[in-house]
Amino acid sequence: YFNTYDFCKCYKVDGKAVNTSVQMDAWEFFNNVLDELEGKLRPSSQDKFLGEIFGGQLANQFIGATDTCSHRREVPETFRTISVEIKDKATLHEALKLFIQGEIVNGVFCEQCQTNVDTMKRCVIRDLPNTLMIHLKRFDFDYQTMTRKKLNSFLAFPMDLDVEPYTREGIARQEGEVSLTNIEEETKKNPNEYQYELVGVVVHSGSMDSGHYYSYIKERIPLQGNEPKWFEFNDTSVTLWDPKRLEADCFGGTTESTGSKKNYGKGAYLLVYQRKDQQVLSFDDPEPKKTSKKTKTQEDSLSRGSHRHDGKS
């Protein structure tokens, strides 16, 4: 395991060392750490290094939804994680379908028509990162009670993920757009680039107010034997973990207890998917190289270890 004492001592938040007694959301913490690291890497030859690992791009599409207007425009948006709603969703695929689902917005100005028209607005994936971080939104706001609550509901996710249906060109293909040829020509992606494998899971155990984070991480290069193994990183405890327990340990849900349903207090919060046909990066050689070989990259060190929601390390 990795002792985080020195890291917590030197990591600064608003110029002050991080207060380990203050609860912090793992997703927010991850983004804050990347912001700090990117700031430290500027200006240098490595200032785009983290972006090459975690950085992707979304396309915010605005499509005319009237009989007289079907014009479209796109606004790009960079991302390092994708946050998906899981309320009333049974699978990750259902959550991703909701993520790209469009909504009709009234009175959006169309430059071609020079008037306001009803427009479908949606967000799709334009460029994929080497490592796809998916944030499951387990913390929700209840408008009936006006309080925040944790969603312990069941959500299944696969070991192998095909993200093509949620990309710009994938949606164009499904809708049979006339402009599909132009989109394919612009993107020119290898079909293998859409294929990802699960290599890490950050689990939250507990309630909305307090809890604990721990991780399941897959080896990139086997330390022993030929097959990569999975390990559970839980504070100072590092033990072998059987991925056959993925549903029991990570999906969340309910179980029968003394005649009544009781929420488990644990469920996956962050999913780490790595592209199978990945680009390997190193600090010695900042230029990405394409390979299908599973190699150990710097994102291991960012995902390794556990972070406690109750502020303890």
Side-chain angles (χ1 to χ4, degrees):
Y1 71 95
F2 179 79
N3 190 322
T4 60
Y5 178 82
D6 290 337
F7 171 79
C8 293
K9 190 175 180 179
C10 70
Y11 177 66
K12 306 292 184 181
V13 177
D14 297 327
K16 299 179 181 179
V18 63
N19 187 349
T20 58
S21 66
V22 176
Q23 298 180 20
M24 184 170 290
D25 182 278
W27 171 66
E28 293 178 356
F29 183 78
F30 171 76
N31 284 298
N32 289 341
V33 168
L34 287 194
D35 286 339
E36 290 293 325
L37 287 173
E38 286 184 338
K40 297 299 182 183
L41 289 173
R42 296 194 198 101
S44 74
S45 61
Q46 308 296 337
D47 59 358
K48 296 181 180 180
F49 182 76
L50 293 174
E52 293 289 349
I53 296 174
F54 300 106
Q57 192 173 76
L58 301 173
N60 293 290
Q61 297 183 331
F62 299 86
I63 306 171
T66 68
D67 293 336
T68 58
C69 177
S70 60
H71 299 124
R72 64 170 57 221
R73 65 184 178 91
E74 291 186 354
V75 178
E77 176 185 351
T78 59
F79 75 89
R80 292 179 299 203
T81 62
I82 289 180
S83 297
V84 296
E85 301 280 352
I86 67 167
K87 187 176 182 180
D88 300 324
K89 298 293 177 285
T91 68
L92 177 61
H93 285 292
E94 290 182 11
L96 288 170
K97 286 180 181 179
L98 178 63
F99 179 80
I100 62 171
Q101 181 176 299
E103 62 175 341
I104 299 297
V105 181
N106 298 322
V108 177
F109 184 76
C110 174
E111 293 183 356
Q112 285 96 328
C113 298
Q114 287 294 297
T115 187
N116 293 333
V117 297
D118 292 345
T119 301
M120 182 181 72
K121 177 185 176 182
R122 68 184 177 193
C123 183
V124 300
I125 302 173
R126 178 170 179 145
D127 295 314
L128 290 161
N130 257 341
T131 300
L132 178 62
M133 303 288 294
I134 300 179
H135 167 223
L136 307 181
K137 299 173 74 171
R138 287 200 175 272
F139 301 116
D140 189 34
F141 189 81
D142 189 333
Y143 286 96
Q144 291 185 337
T145 61
M146 300 303 290
T147 58
R148 285 177 60 81
K149 65 178 183 180
K150 181 187 174 187
L151 301 175
N152 289 312
S153 54
F154 179 94
L155 185 91
F157 50 89
M159 296 295 289
D160 297 293
L161 179 67
D162 179 5
V163 298
E164 193 268 351
Y166 315 109
T167 62
R168 179 172 174 253
E169 58 275 16
I171 293 172
R173 184 176 294 106
Q174 294 171 50
E175 296 178 345
E177 290 185 6
V178 176
S179 58
L180 175 59
T181 302
N182 294 332
I183 291 177
E184 288 182 330
E185 183 66 23
E186 182 180 335
T187 55
K188 292 184 178 179
K189 287 187 176 67
N190 184 311
N192 292 332
E193 292 187 33
Y194 301 108
Q195 306 303 316
Y196 285 75
E197 65 172 332
L198 186 71
V199 295
V201 183
V202 177
V203 174
H204 180 269
S205 174
S207 65
M208 175 66 227
D209 299 320
S210 65
H212 176 57
Y213 289 108
Y214 53 96
S215 305
Y216 298 110
I217 302 173
K218 183 182 180 180
E219 288 180 311
R220 307 306 197 273
I221 295 179
L223 296 177
Q224 295 181 343
N226 297 320
E227 292 297 323
K229 299 180 179 64
W230 280 83
F231 290 87
E232 177 183 336
F233 289 79
N234 194 338
D235 285 345
T236 60
S237 174
V238 180
T239 56
L240 277 171
W241 180 71
D242 187 348
K244 293 180 181 179
R245 291 192 53 81
L246 184 68
E247 178 176 346
D249 291 343
C250 301
F251 287 3
T254 59
T255 183
E256 296 294 330
S257 177
T258 63
S260 62
K261 285 189 175 181
K262 178 183 178 181
N263 280 330
Y264 284 121
K266 63 181 181 181
Y269 187 57
L270 291 174
L271 306 179
V272 185
Y273 281 97
Q274 183 172 282
R275 180 185 273 148
K276 295 180 180 180
D277 185 17
Q278 65 173 319
Q279 296 179 344
V280 177
L281 303 171
S282 71
F283 279 110
D284 296 330
D285 182 8
E287 293 299 320
K289 297 178 180 180
K290 294 295 292 297
T291 178
S292 59
K293 183 180 179 181
K294 295 179 177 63
T295 58
K296 194 177 185 71
T297 56
Q298 272 71 16
E299 65 261 31
D300 290 348
S301 61
L302 292 171
S303 62
R304 180 161 295 180
S306 60
H307 177 71
R308 290 182 70 103
H309 188 55
D310 54 15
K312 300 177 182 178
S313 57

